[in-house]
Amino acid sequence: MMRLTGRSNMRRLLALLTAASFCFVGIQAMGGELPGKIVIKAAAKKQPAVPFSHARHATKLAPNCETCHHTQKGLTAKSTEKVAACTSCHLDPAKDVPGMREMSLTKNPFHIDCIKCHKAEKKGPVACTGCHVKA
């Protein structure tokens, strides 16, 4: 066990604590914190952008992170891995992947998943103007 007497040992302890705090800050920056609010702008040319309370959905409404982040199995609120943005796959998708630019309620992944959940829970907007609020 390290004795905390003497300048040399105190410097080592200070260096160790400083390094540990940088590691913790790095982990938080990598993904340790949930985003609070997100603005979804993918359809902004056709419809107003959608303000979305990620923190509320992630902590109170969705059963787990995989509900929405379906490609990242095992993702949790404390995960430090980088979370892929929905737009990385759904903005201009490959064949057979729902696209965010679609206005259709049966083709846009947000319309499909969000409205399905809102209807099942009997909470949340189900009409266009419920999410796409004009400023």
Side-chain angles (χ1 to χ4, degrees):
M1 183 163 178
M2 181 172 43
R3 292 179 66 199
L4 296 180
T5 58
R7 282 190 173 180
S8 176
N9 287 335
M10 291 300 276
R11 285 185 188 142
R12 285 184 196 148
L13 178 63
L14 182 59
L16 180 65
L17 290 173
T18 302
S21 67
F22 279 117
C23 288
F24 178 75
V25 169
I27 288 169
Q28 291 297 310
M30 286 173 48
E33 290 184 33
L34 291 173
K37 291 202 180 218
I38 296 172
V39 178
I40 303 166
K41 300 175 184 178
K45 289 183 180 179
K46 296 179 182 178
Q47 288 284 345
V50 177
F52 175 73
S53 177
H54 182 273
R56 183 167 173 241
H57 282 81
T59 60
K60 296 180 181 174
L61 303 174
N64 59 53
C65 297
E66 290 177 28
T67 302
C68 299
H69 299 281
H70 59 96
T71 61
Q72 294 185 275
K73 303 298 180 198
L75 187 67
T76 69
K78 299 200 184 297
S79 294
T80 58
E81 66 187 272
K82 184 169 171 72
V83 177
C86 300
T87 55
S88 64
C89 294
H90 290 288
L91 187 58
D92 293 311
K95 189 176 182 181
D96 299 327
V97 174
M100 294 167 62
R101 294 186 197 270
E102 293 284 340
M103 302 262 306
S104 166
L105 294 178
T106 59
K107 293 182 181 177
N108 182 304
F110 288 116
H111 296 161
I112 295 166
D113 293 336
C114 299
I115 291 173
K116 180 173 82 177
C117 185
H118 289 175
K119 285 181 176 179
E121 296 297 320
K122 295 182 173 70
K123 290 182 180 177
V126 294
C128 300
T129 56
C131 296
H132 297 277
V133 181
K134 293 184 181 183

